[in-house]
Amino acid sequence: MIPRKKIRLGDLLVQNKVISENQLNSALAIQKKSGRKLGRVLIENNFVEEDKLLDFLSRQLQIPFVDLRYYKFSPDTVRLLSETYARRFRTIVLEEKESDYLIGMADPTDIFAYDELARMLKRPLRLALVREADLLRTLDTVYRRTEEIISFAEKLGEEMAANEFDLAGLAQAADVTDAPVVKLLQSMFEDAVQIGASDIHIEPDEHALRIRQRIDGVLHEQLMKEKHIASALVSRLKLMSGLDIAEKRLPQDGRFTIKVKDRVIDVRLSTMPIYDGEAVVMRLLDKTGGLLNLDQLGMTSDMLRRFHQLITKPQGMVLITGPTGSGKTTTLYAALSHINNAESKIITVEDPVEYRLPRINQVQVNAKIGLSFARVLRSALRHDPDIVLVGEMRDQETAEIGLRAAMTGHLVLSTLHTNDSISCATRLLDMGAEGYMVAAALDAVIAQRLVRRICASCAEPYQLDTHQLAWLRGLTGAAAEGMEFRHGEGCPHCNNTGYRGRIGVYELLEIDEALGNALRREDVEEFRKLAKQRLGHGTLIECALEYARAGTTTIDEVMRVFGEGEEIEETPPPAQELPAGGKSAARAAHA
């Protein structure tokens, strides 16, 4: 039990030589300006490591430290305390007994919070120390908005049935903040942000309204019987996006920005007329979440080294390929962040601009006024850039301008929609680009996918079933009976899915002289044969299988992402590397 007296954390840390007197004074000055907890100030300013501070507090207060990432809590027990107080006091109810409660606190020295919790819970309390970031993630997981969304949907359905609202009038009403439709949308966005959804789908059906959220690449559905509220939701969203609320026959695209719990969310919205009304899909981009670094993408150390060399070259083209939602934009922005400096001029041509980056000239394509990729790219090259990012190679004109830019002293980064790195290079030929240009300009192609990570809180060893063993044997030609794999059992941390978060799966194909010669001759079959030799066992599916063998993902996830018809071919070892200047000479001959 925590001593019922005020503990001065700073004095304790100084007395035990965890921090110095000067560090304490600096932290107190920062705390006075920001109003934040002293412990958080000390950690954020690198005066003390978080784990060291937690270990110190645990020993000083004689209370256990609970790692919430691996603690199997009961959501019903956590909800014994309302979300408002749980977030205000940074606390969570971990265990309920007839005699007392075990509660976890990020700051167990907060006597005021302790007294308030004891008064509200009406039982003696046992304290445990928890990490604040893990506490907030757990609260986001437990306090979902599912029931609240259903409640607002029912209330909106009742009001619409009783009053037959004029939807346009409702959307433009001065007191619209009190309308159930806005409260419903607010709850939907809060729930989506809390659980890390990337998209929200609103789909009216014949007898119901489906609200689906894409979490870690997989849709999760919530069904509502109030189908008739769909029109009110769509009208309000159109108004927020600046779209024509009277036009229901044609698709429309728009965007707006909202603030959800101190997080700024950029929403890209698209409507589409369907048989039972209008369907809406919203892509959520968290502007406050920050960009990933290159070393956070999931590339192996060798591939990361090669990729770093490619994006720091003075000229050439690097293409990223993969289906929609495979993380291509994240990889490109991570690369841009890495090479963004005062000495280099960077111009991007995007549709739309998803993240704002300092020092970079970002241009958004606008087809309505003729501002196409090709037109912006031609103009961008007159602004003396060192590096150009093209959001997507969509047509022959854009591809040829990008290739010429890569041949004339610019580094060009772009994306292309193909299934693998080999198809990406030949796709440029299919688009009408000249073979000699592709051979001279293209340095490398990276293909990628995203696979779900096994939830660390409920991961356990798992024996493959007969079907999985047969699939793996047919894929690799090797028996897998003796190999140990893992899966997630399902727990509150991962919404009982067994997965939490995703990681990138990559293959990197660098264009050497032999591959360049095949492209120059536009000999697709020879190019494919040579490219398979260069990749060897460094293909996408082999990379994913390595994650499965390491316990990062599951065989089920590999089968879901790559299907059950993939095969790994036996290939001879890759050709020896070219001598220095081999490809540069080939490029110079055609530049």
Side-chain angles (χ1 to χ4, degrees):
M1 180 74 71
I2 186 173
R4 301 299 301 275
K5 62 180 181 180
K6 183 68 175 176
I7 296 176
R8 295 176 63 87
L9 175 62
D11 293 340
L12 276 177
L13 292 170
V14 172
Q15 289 170 13
N16 289 270
K17 298 182 180 181
V18 178
I19 61 173
S20 67
E21 188 75 38
N22 288 337
Q23 287 176 325
L24 174 60
N25 291 333
S26 298
L28 290 172
I30 296 171
Q31 182 195 28
K32 188 175 181 180
K33 292 180 181 178
S34 65
R36 308 198 68 180
K37 295 281 188 180
L38 179 61
R40 182 51 47 189
V41 172
L42 291 169
I43 293 167
E44 290 177 350
N45 288 273
N46 298 316
F47 293 149
V48 63
E49 294 179 0
E50 185 172 20
D51 288 344
K52 188 174 182 180
L53 177 61
L54 293 172
D55 179 63
F56 172 79
L57 283 174
S58 178
R59 286 186 284 105
Q60 286 291 318
L61 301 176
Q62 298 181 353
I63 60 175
F65 168 73
V66 172
D67 193 335
L68 287 176
R69 293 173 298 175
Y70 308 107
Y71 188 86
K72 293 189 177 180
F73 56 85
S74 165
D76 292 335
T77 301
V78 175
R79 291 193 194 100
L80 290 171
L81 187 66
S82 71
E83 181 182 6
T84 301
Y85 289 109
R87 293 188 183 277
R88 179 188 298 174
F89 297 135
R90 293 293 193 266
T91 190
I92 182 173
V93 183
L94 298 172
E95 183 181 308
E96 179 185 16
K97 290 186 176 180
E98 291 185 4
S99 57
D100 59 21
Y101 290 114
L102 173 64
I103 64 169
M105 294 185 70
D107 181 11
T109 66
D110 190 339
I111 297 299
F112 171 76
Y114 177 93
D115 290 340
E116 282 294 301
L117 291 168
R119 181 183 61 80
M120 286 185 290
L121 294 172
K122 297 181 172 61
R123 285 188 200 174
L125 304 179
R126 288 179 294 123
L127 280 182
L129 181 64
V130 296
R131 192 178 286 107
E132 184 174 3
D134 295 337
L135 169 69
L136 294 175
R137 275 195 295 268
T138 303
L139 296 181
D140 283 345
T141 301
V142 173
Y143 294 105
R144 292 285 305 275
R145 294 291 187 270
T146 306
E147 295 179 2
E148 190 175 274
I149 290 172
I150 293 174
S151 173
F152 284 135
E154 290 175 349
K155 185 181 294 184
L156 177 60
E158 291 170 2
E159 290 196 13
M160 288 183 66
N163 303 321
E164 295 186 354
F165 292 140
D166 173 13
L167 298 179
L170 170 66
Q172 297 170 340
D175 61 343
V176 74
T177 53
D178 296 325
V181 64
V182 176
K183 292 180 180 178
L184 173 57
L185 287 172
Q186 182 179 354
S187 296
M188 285 170 50
F189 283 121
E190 287 181 357
D191 186 53
V193 170
Q194 281 186 192
I195 60 176
S198 60
D199 302 82
I200 300 176
H201 296 236
I202 300 175
E203 302 166 342
D205 209 337
E206 184 178 1
H207 302 295
L209 173 65
R210 300 178 191 277
I211 306 293
R212 301 203 281 177
Q213 298 168 321
R214 190 175 293 280
I215 306 168
D216 291 336
V218 178
L219 287 171
H220 297 258
E221 183 175 271
Q222 184 176 356
L223 203 61
M224 299 180 184
K225 62 180 183 295
E226 296 83 10
K227 180 227 172 181
H228 55 287
I229 69 172
S231 53
L233 289 177
V234 175
S235 291
R236 180 60 194 170
L237 288 168
K238 281 183 175 180
L239 188 75
M240 294 165 68
S241 308
L243 303 180
D244 184 355
I245 61 175
E247 179 56 76
K248 300 180 181 181
R249 301 165 300 171
L250 298 173
Q252 297 186 69
D253 296 308
R255 66 189 305 165
F256 59 91
T257 301
I258 58 172
K259 192 171 183 179
V260 181
K261 294 191 172 183
D262 298 325
R263 297 167 72 175
V264 179
I265 309 297
D266 193 15
V267 182
R268 286 163 41 194
L269 177 143
S270 178
T271 70
M272 182 173 64
I274 61 176
Y275 187 78
D276 293 298
E278 283 184 282
V280 175
V281 175
M282 292 178 284
R283 169 65 56 88
L284 310 181
L285 300 171
D286 189 349
K287 293 183 177 180
T288 55
L291 296 173
L292 294 180
N293 296 323
L294 284 178
D295 55 2
Q296 296 175 307
L297 296 176
M299 293 184 183
T300 62
S301 57
D302 178 63
M303 186 179 294
L304 190 60
R305 175 186 58 80
R306 292 158 62 196
F307 185 52
H308 179 268
Q309 291 173 348
L310 289 165
I311 62 175
T312 51
K313 284 186 174 182
Q315 64 182 38
M317 176 180 283
V318 178
L319 292 177
I320 313 288
T321 186
T324 301
S326 59
K328 299 186 298 296
T329 302
T330 299
T331 300
L332 282 176
Y333 274 104
L336 279 188
S337 297
H338 184 76
I339 57 181
N340 184 13
N341 56 61
E343 290 77 33
S344 300
K345 171 134 184 175
I346 304 176
I347 299 178
T348 73
V349 189
E350 305 172 68
D351 184 23
V353 174
E354 296 192 4
Y355 297 96
R356 310 309 199 263
L357 297 175
R359 204 188 289 117
I360 295 179
N361 295 279
Q362 296 175 269
V363 183
Q364 180 159 320
V365 170
N366 188 343
K368 294 179 180 178
I369 60 172
L371 197 63
S372 63
F373 274 103
R375 184 171 182 178
V376 176
L377 190 52
R378 276 195 298 269
S379 177
L381 294 176
R382 294 193 287 271
H383 282 247
D384 188 30
D386 299 291
I387 301 161
V388 178
L389 182 146
V390 184
E392 183 183 348
M393 293 292 182
R394 291 186 176 177
D395 51 50
Q396 179 182 353
E397 186 179 12
T398 305
E400 288 185 346
I401 297 172
L403 290 167
R404 290 189 185 281
M407 294 166 63
T408 54
H410 305 86
L411 176 65
V412 179
L413 306 175
S414 188
T415 70
L416 199 60
H417 285 272
T418 58
N419 288 328
D420 54 34
S421 57
I422 298 175
S423 302
C424 186
T426 56
R427 172 75 179 121
L428 290 173
L429 300 178
D430 294 340
M431 292 170 68
E434 296 289 343
Y436 79 90
M437 293 178 64
V438 180
L442 188 60
D443 275 331
V445 179
I446 294 178
Q448 69 179 81
R449 298 288 192 280
L450 293 175
V451 296
R452 291 181 291 174
R453 291 176 179 267
I454 297 172
C455 173
S457 302
C458 60
E460 61 179 17
Y462 172 67
Q463 294 296 322
L464 301 187
D465 60 29
T466 306
H467 175 62
Q468 292 166 330
L469 286 170
W471 177 81
L472 195 56
R473 190 182 301 110
L475 188 70
T476 63
E481 281 80 1
M483 300 178 64
E484 184 177 287
F485 295 91
R486 296 172 69 81
H487 77 159
E489 184 184 18
C491 68
H493 289 285
C494 58
N495 294 312
N496 294 310
T497 63
Y499 299 97
R500 187 168 55 173
R502 290 188 289 179
I503 189 169
V505 174
Y506 297 89
E507 71 178 25
L508 171 58
L509 177 65
E510 295 186 74
I511 308 300
D512 59 19
E513 186 174 25
L515 290 171
N517 288 334
L519 287 172
R520 191 172 292 108
R521 296 191 306 269
E522 300 188 12
D523 188 341
V524 174
E525 290 304 318
E526 177 67 11
F527 177 83
R528 287 184 175 277
K529 177 183 174 182
L530 292 172
K532 287 180 180 179
Q533 294 176 4
R534 302 300 188 271
L535 287 173
H537 290 290
T539 60
L540 281 169
I541 194 165
E542 269 288 3
C543 180
L545 285 173
E546 280 302 312
Y547 281 136
R549 295 183 187 111
T552 303
T553 190
T554 64
I555 289 294
D556 273 340
E557 180 67 0
V558 179
M559 294 171 70
R560 182 187 72 85
V561 173
F562 292 97
E564 301 186 21
E566 297 285 345
E567 293 183 2
I568 297 177
E569 298 184 14
E570 291 297 324
T571 54
Q576 294 183 349
E577 293 185 3
L578 282 173
K583 191 182 172 207
S584 300
R587 177 181 288 127
H590 292 280

